[in-house]
Amino acid sequence: MTSYASIRSPPSDSSSRPNSTASMSRRPRRKENGVHGQASWISSVINLVNTIVGAGVLAMPSALSNMGILLGILVIVWSGLTSGFGLYLQTRCARYLDRGSASFFALSQITYPNAAVIFDAAIAIKCFGVGISYLIIIGDLMPGVVRGFTDTPAADYLLDRHFWVTAFMLVVIPLSFLRRLDSLKYTSIIALVSIGYLVVLVVYHFAKGDDMGLKGEISIVPDKGIVPVLASFPVIVFAYTCHQNMFSILNEIEDNSPFKTTSVVLASIGSSGSIYLLVAITGYLTFGDNVAGNIVAQYIPSVASTIGKAAIVVLVMFSYPLQVHPCRASVDAVLKWRPASRKQPEYASVNGSPSRSTLLNSGSNSQRGRGEMSDRRFAVITTVIIILSYIVAMTVSSLSVVLAYVGSTGSTSISFILPGLFYYKISSPDSPHHQRLLKEDDDEEAETDGEETRGGWNSGSILRKLSLGLAIYGLLVMVVCLVTNTFFVVAH
């Protein structure tokens, strides 16, 4: 999985013909239509890591207790590799679109036009549900934070979850109206500091041996049966979900060369995976099989553990706008969607290959879907998302069942199925989009890529097969998660 990292190389000339399709992928993509990204590499990594690592990191020790250390570590690493591969395929797919216009909607318009509305609806629902869960967490944790910081009885309103949901909405509303994901880099830094504190807290209690007399047995291999293993599997697999924001990062990053975008993926997945492994192992070794779903809740009430709960609140508070951003884009795409015409478009030809403009504009609404939202439309959609999420968070205290099904479908689709299917179809040697991309590169590289694509075992062919494998893997994960969720709903 990690072999796909590419290295920037200077342009070749007629005396130095490349001998691999990798030479084309090493070349930075040209800045098109005068559109230049402004986000730095580090801000892209920060926002992506903040999207990945949420409060779910505290459930990793519990997942490890159900799987055993060996299988748990293997699943954490495997899930990181598969999610990272999905992100990498997104960076590859973005090369087929104009600079700054990459999105699930734009890709579906040139691959599966009539399914575009389904894809974006699933993304919107998934992000909307996760955003609501963040507000519910704030309402549930803040009364405990207040009790932890005061020895005297607090005012009733300070112990009311509705008050805290309302109060924190005043903080996240301005952040939710920021157009660019890069604008959230400073809040993401604060969120990452909160994550750092939680990691230090868990490691500290492990090093101190502070198990409060609750330590159970340590399982190297699974010994609780298949059901607990399957129940913990979605917790780890979906812990890496950040694909809904990947296209925004690709659109905004200043240097969108393959080397830079791939390094963003590697740094983000590597950092997040390291955090998960550290918390999972140290937390599980602290309490053994008696570890709880939220490990911070097991620690003796103290200033440190109370700050830990406050850190969770800060983390989810600044993660809420990161869910509003893709939710808004998907809602906008759904509202703009129209059924694609069945009539096959007549592609204009440039040197025997379809031109970029005809591929993206004829026979579909891709141009209409790619247009930037007007200020009014942006404000209306954002306001509706915020108001609806606030109403649901104020009236519902738990979304666990709903989120389990939404996560099983939405997260699986955007992490594995869509990246795999999009790349498999768009990179076909017979695809006009693939031929157009080849024509944009110099003749030597295009000629070599065309020759190698016809081979049976070359890097491009293997990548296409792996992308299809990722989509199939995603379907299997979806089935397993849906069956597991249904079993637990019936059981309880």
PDB file of all heavy atoms in Angstrom, residues 30-51:
ATOM      1  N   ARG A  30      -0.521  20.848 -13.875  1.00  0.00           N
ATOM      2  CA  ARG A  30      -0.440  22.260 -14.226  1.00  0.00           C
ATOM      3  C   ARG A  30      -1.533  23.045 -13.536  1.00  0.00           C
ATOM      4  O   ARG A  30      -2.632  22.556 -13.319  1.00  0.00           O
ATOM      5  CB  ARG A  30      -0.559  22.418 -15.750  1.00  0.00           C
ATOM      6  CG  ARG A  30       0.641  21.930 -16.511  1.00  0.00           C
ATOM      7  CD  ARG A  30       0.480  22.219 -17.971  1.00  0.00           C
ATOM      8  NE  ARG A  30      -0.500  21.348 -18.581  1.00  0.00           N
ATOM      9  CZ  ARG A  30      -0.209  20.156 -19.099  1.00  0.00           C
ATOM     10  NH1 ARG A  30       1.034  19.706 -19.033  1.00  0.00           N
ATOM     11  NH2 ARG A  30      -1.132  19.399 -19.656  1.00  0.00           N
ATOM     12  N   LYS A  31      -1.230  24.285 -13.195  1.00  0.00           N
ATOM     13  CA  LYS A  31      -2.251  25.170 -12.664  1.00  0.00           C
ATOM     14  C   LYS A  31      -3.162  25.565 -13.823  1.00  0.00           C
ATOM     15  O   LYS A  31      -2.703  26.100 -14.822  1.00  0.00           O
ATOM     16  CB  LYS A  31      -1.618  26.431 -12.060  1.00  0.00           C
ATOM     17  CG  LYS A  31      -0.543  26.133 -11.035  1.00  0.00           C
ATOM     18  CD  LYS A  31      -1.143  25.799  -9.713  1.00  0.00           C
ATOM     19  CE  LYS A  31      -0.116  25.899  -8.618  1.00  0.00           C
ATOM     20  NZ  LYS A  31       0.291  24.742  -7.982  1.00  0.00           N
ATOM     21  N   GLU A  32      -4.457  25.283 -13.714  1.00  0.00           N
ATOM     22  CA  GLU A  32      -5.366  25.475 -14.821  1.00  0.00           C
ATOM     23  C   GLU A  32      -6.281  26.656 -14.580  1.00  0.00           C
ATOM     24  O   GLU A  32      -6.724  26.908 -13.467  1.00  0.00           O
ATOM     25  CB  GLU A  32      -6.193  24.201 -15.030  1.00  0.00           C
ATOM     26  CG  GLU A  32      -5.325  23.019 -15.416  1.00  0.00           C
ATOM     27  CD  GLU A  32      -6.017  21.702 -15.132  1.00  0.00           C
ATOM     28  OE1 GLU A  32      -7.137  21.730 -14.626  1.00  0.00           O
ATOM     29  OE2 GLU A  32      -5.410  20.665 -15.412  1.00  0.00           O
ATOM     30  N   ASN A  33      -6.611  27.336 -15.681  1.00  0.00           N
ATOM     31  CA  ASN A  33      -7.554  28.432 -15.647  1.00  0.00           C
ATOM     32  C   ASN A  33      -7.190  29.498 -14.626  1.00  0.00           C
ATOM     33  O   ASN A  33      -8.047  30.197 -14.106  1.00  0.00           O
ATOM     34  CB  ASN A  33      -8.969  27.912 -15.344  1.00  0.00           C
ATOM     35  CG  ASN A  33      -9.434  26.916 -16.381  1.00  0.00           C
ATOM     36  OD1 ASN A  33      -9.018  26.992 -17.542  1.00  0.00           O
ATOM     37  ND2 ASN A  33     -10.278  25.973 -15.987  1.00  0.00           N
ATOM     38  N   GLY A  34      -5.932  29.615 -14.305  1.00  0.00           N
ATOM     39  CA  GLY A  34      -5.489  30.649 -13.370  1.00  0.00           C
ATOM     40  C   GLY A  34      -5.871  30.381 -11.931  1.00  0.00           C
ATOM     41  O   GLY A  34      -5.784  31.252 -11.091  1.00  0.00           O
ATOM     42  N   VAL A  35      -6.327  29.163 -11.642  1.00  0.00           N
ATOM     43  CA  VAL A  35      -6.758  28.840 -10.290  1.00  0.00           C
ATOM     44  C   VAL A  35      -5.571  28.296  -9.505  1.00  0.00           C
ATOM     45  O   VAL A  35      -4.965  27.315  -9.904  1.00  0.00           O
ATOM     46  CB  VAL A  35      -7.895  27.791 -10.312  1.00  0.00           C
ATOM     47  CG1 VAL A  35      -8.311  27.446  -8.900  1.00  0.00           C
ATOM     48  CG2 VAL A  35      -9.071  28.331 -11.108  1.00  0.00           C
ATOM     49  N   HIS A  36      -5.261  28.929  -8.405  1.00  0.00           N
ATOM     50  CA  HIS A  36      -4.141  28.503  -7.580  1.00  0.00           C
ATOM     51  C   HIS A  36      -4.647  28.254  -6.162  1.00  0.00           C
ATOM     52  O   HIS A  36      -5.381  29.066  -5.591  1.00  0.00           O
ATOM     53  CB  HIS A  36      -3.040  29.562  -7.546  1.00  0.00           C
ATOM     54  CG  HIS A  36      -2.431  29.834  -8.896  1.00  0.00           C
ATOM     55  ND1 HIS A  36      -1.278  29.225  -9.316  1.00  0.00           N
ATOM     56  CD2 HIS A  36      -2.829  30.625  -9.915  1.00  0.00           C
ATOM     57  CE1 HIS A  36      -0.965  29.639 -10.534  1.00  0.00           C
ATOM     58  NE2 HIS A  36      -1.903  30.487 -10.921  1.00  0.00           N
ATOM     59  N   GLY A  37      -4.255  27.118  -5.573  1.00  0.00           N
ATOM     60  CA  GLY A  37      -4.596  26.869  -4.191  1.00  0.00           C
ATOM     61  C   GLY A  37      -3.750  27.715  -3.267  1.00  0.00           C
ATOM     62  O   GLY A  37      -2.679  28.198  -3.634  1.00  0.00           O
ATOM     63  N   GLN A  38      -4.221  27.903  -2.065  1.00  0.00           N
ATOM     64  CA  GLN A  38      -3.516  28.736  -1.097  1.00  0.00           C
ATOM     65  C   GLN A  38      -3.147  27.984   0.179  1.00  0.00           C
ATOM     66  O   GLN A  38      -2.393  28.497   0.997  1.00  0.00           O
ATOM     67  CB  GLN A  38      -4.386  29.955  -0.725  1.00  0.00           C
ATOM     68  CG  GLN A  38      -4.722  30.851  -1.911  1.00  0.00           C
ATOM     69  CD  GLN A  38      -5.619  31.999  -1.520  1.00  0.00           C
ATOM     70  OE1 GLN A  38      -6.084  32.079  -0.381  1.00  0.00           O
ATOM     71  NE2 GLN A  38      -5.880  32.902  -2.451  1.00  0.00           N
ATOM     72  N   ALA A  39      -3.692  26.793   0.351  1.00  0.00           N
ATOM     73  CA  ALA A  39      -3.440  26.055   1.586  1.00  0.00           C
ATOM     74  C   ALA A  39      -2.047  25.433   1.565  1.00  0.00           C
ATOM     75  O   ALA A  39      -1.592  24.921   0.546  1.00  0.00           O
ATOM     76  CB  ALA A  39      -4.492  24.972   1.779  1.00  0.00           C
ATOM     77  N   SER A  40      -1.386  25.466   2.689  1.00  0.00           N
ATOM     78  CA  SER A  40      -0.055  24.872   2.797  1.00  0.00           C
ATOM     79  C   SER A  40      -0.167  23.372   3.027  1.00  0.00           C
ATOM     80  O   SER A  40      -1.238  22.842   3.343  1.00  0.00           O
ATOM     81  CB  SER A  40       0.709  25.511   3.955  1.00  0.00           C
ATOM     82  OG  SER A  40       0.091  25.206   5.203  1.00  0.00           O
ATOM     83  N   TRP A  41       0.947  22.685   2.889  1.00  0.00           N
ATOM     84  CA  TRP A  41       0.973  21.244   3.113  1.00  0.00           C
ATOM     85  C   TRP A  41       0.626  20.921   4.567  1.00  0.00           C
ATOM     86  O   TRP A  41      -0.176  20.024   4.839  1.00  0.00           O
ATOM     87  CB  TRP A  41       2.371  20.708   2.785  1.00  0.00           C
ATOM     88  CG  TRP A  41       2.521  19.226   2.950  1.00  0.00           C
ATOM     89  CD1 TRP A  41       2.277  18.265   2.016  1.00  0.00           C
ATOM     90  CD2 TRP A  41       2.941  18.531   4.137  1.00  0.00           C
ATOM     91  NE1 TRP A  41       2.523  17.010   2.534  1.00  0.00           N
ATOM     92  CE2 TRP A  41       2.930  17.149   3.831  1.00  0.00           C
ATOM     93  CE3 TRP A  41       3.329  18.946   5.408  1.00  0.00           C
ATOM     94  CZ2 TRP A  41       3.297  16.183   4.773  1.00  0.00           C
ATOM     95  CZ3 TRP A  41       3.681  17.979   6.347  1.00  0.00           C
ATOM     96  CH2 TRP A  41       3.673  16.612   6.018  1.00  0.00           C
ATOM     97  N   ILE A  42       1.191  21.661   5.498  1.00  0.00           N
ATOM     98  CA  ILE A  42       0.974  21.371   6.917  1.00  0.00           C
ATOM     99  C   ILE A  42      -0.464  21.625   7.333  1.00  0.00           C
ATOM    100  O   ILE A  42      -1.047  20.863   8.114  1.00  0.00           O
ATOM    101  CB  ILE A  42       1.960  22.195   7.807  1.00  0.00           C
ATOM    102  CG1 ILE A  42       1.863  21.762   9.266  1.00  0.00           C
ATOM    103  CG2 ILE A  42       1.699  23.679   7.674  1.00  0.00           C
ATOM    104  CD1 ILE A  42       2.263  20.326   9.516  1.00  0.00           C
ATOM    105  N   SER A  43      -1.099  22.694   6.809  1.00  0.00           N
ATOM    106  CA  SER A  43      -2.494  22.958   7.165  1.00  0.00           C
ATOM    107  C   SER A  43      -3.401  21.878   6.594  1.00  0.00           C
ATOM    108  O   SER A  43      -4.408  21.514   7.211  1.00  0.00           O
ATOM    109  CB  SER A  43      -2.927  24.336   6.657  1.00  0.00           C
ATOM    110  OG  SER A  43      -3.032  24.358   5.252  1.00  0.00           O
ATOM    111  N   SER A  44      -3.051  21.348   5.421  1.00  0.00           N
ATOM    112  CA  SER A  44      -3.834  20.257   4.834  1.00  0.00           C
ATOM    113  C   SER A  44      -3.762  19.019   5.711  1.00  0.00           C
ATOM    114  O   SER A  44      -4.782  18.353   5.959  1.00  0.00           O
ATOM    115  CB  SER A  44      -3.311  19.937   3.428  1.00  0.00           C
ATOM    116  OG  SER A  44      -3.406  21.058   2.574  1.00  0.00           O
ATOM    117  N   VAL A  45      -2.565  18.705   6.199  1.00  0.00           N
ATOM    118  CA  VAL A  45      -2.394  17.548   7.077  1.00  0.00           C
ATOM    119  C   VAL A  45      -3.149  17.756   8.386  1.00  0.00           C
ATOM    120  O   VAL A  45      -3.836  16.842   8.888  1.00  0.00           O
ATOM    121  CB  VAL A  45      -0.899  17.283   7.356  1.00  0.00           C
ATOM    122  CG1 VAL A  45      -0.728  16.192   8.410  1.00  0.00           C
ATOM    123  CG2 VAL A  45      -0.179  16.893   6.073  1.00  0.00           C
ATOM    124  N   ILE A  46      -3.058  18.944   8.953  1.00  0.00           N
ATOM    125  CA  ILE A  46      -3.719  19.235  10.227  1.00  0.00           C
ATOM    126  C   ILE A  46      -5.224  19.058  10.105  1.00  0.00           C
ATOM    127  O   ILE A  46      -5.873  18.424  10.957  1.00  0.00           O
ATOM    128  CB  ILE A  46      -3.370  20.667  10.690  1.00  0.00           C
ATOM    129  CG1 ILE A  46      -1.912  20.730  11.159  1.00  0.00           C
ATOM    130  CG2 ILE A  46      -4.300  21.115  11.822  1.00  0.00           C
ATOM    131  CD1 ILE A  46      -1.438  22.131  11.478  1.00  0.00           C
ATOM    132  N   ASN A  47      -5.823  19.621   9.061  1.00  0.00           N
ATOM    133  CA  ASN A  47      -7.274  19.501   8.886  1.00  0.00           C
ATOM    134  C   ASN A  47      -7.695  18.064   8.635  1.00  0.00           C
ATOM    135  O   ASN A  47      -8.742  17.621   9.118  1.00  0.00           O
ATOM    136  CB  ASN A  47      -7.743  20.392   7.733  1.00  0.00           C
ATOM    137  CG  ASN A  47      -7.906  21.841   8.137  1.00  0.00           C
ATOM    138  OD1 ASN A  47      -8.308  22.133   9.258  1.00  0.00           O
ATOM    139  ND2 ASN A  47      -7.598  22.747   7.232  1.00  0.00           N
ATOM    140  N   LEU A  48      -6.881  17.321   7.899  1.00  0.00           N
ATOM    141  CA  LEU A  48      -7.225  15.936   7.618  1.00  0.00           C
ATOM    142  C   LEU A  48      -7.114  15.082   8.878  1.00  0.00           C
ATOM    143  O   LEU A  48      -7.980  14.238   9.148  1.00  0.00           O
ATOM    144  CB  LEU A  48      -6.325  15.387   6.508  1.00  0.00           C
ATOM    145  CG  LEU A  48      -6.873  14.188   5.718  1.00  0.00           C
ATOM    146  CD1 LEU A  48      -8.220  14.519   5.097  1.00  0.00           C
ATOM    147  CD2 LEU A  48      -5.889  13.755   4.639  1.00  0.00           C
ATOM    148  N   VAL A  49      -6.058  15.288   9.664  1.00  0.00           N
ATOM    149  CA  VAL A  49      -5.902  14.527  10.912  1.00  0.00           C
ATOM    150  C   VAL A  49      -7.035  14.855  11.877  1.00  0.00           C
ATOM    151  O   VAL A  49      -7.580  13.963  12.542  1.00  0.00           O
ATOM    152  CB  VAL A  49      -4.533  14.828  11.562  1.00  0.00           C
ATOM    153  CG1 VAL A  49      -4.458  14.215  12.963  1.00  0.00           C
ATOM    154  CG2 VAL A  49      -3.402  14.286  10.704  1.00  0.00           C
ATOM    155  N   ASN A  50      -7.424  16.118  11.944  1.00  0.00           N
ATOM    156  CA  ASN A  50      -8.520  16.506  12.826  1.00  0.00           C
ATOM    157  C   ASN A  50      -9.835  15.892  12.369  1.00  0.00           C
ATOM    158  O   ASN A  50     -10.695  15.547  13.186  1.00  0.00           O
ATOM    159  CB  ASN A  50      -8.662  18.026  12.872  1.00  0.00           C
ATOM    160  CG  ASN A  50      -9.648  18.485  13.934  1.00  0.00           C
ATOM    161  OD1 ASN A  50      -9.873  17.806  14.935  1.00  0.00           O
ATOM    162  ND2 ASN A  50     -10.242  19.639  13.726  1.00  0.00           N
ATOM    163  N   THR A  51     -10.002  15.733  11.054  1.00  0.00           N
ATOM    164  CA  THR A  51     -11.199  15.068  10.547  1.00  0.00           C
ATOM    165  C   THR A  51     -11.189  13.587  10.908  1.00  0.00           C
ATOM    166  O   THR A  51     -12.228  13.000  11.213  1.00  0.00           O
ATOM    167  CB  THR A  51     -11.299  15.216   9.012  1.00  0.00           C
ATOM    168  OG1 THR A  51     -11.205  16.595   8.650  1.00  0.00           O
ATOM    169  CG2 THR A  51     -12.628  14.671   8.504  1.00  0.00           C
TER     170      THR A  51
END
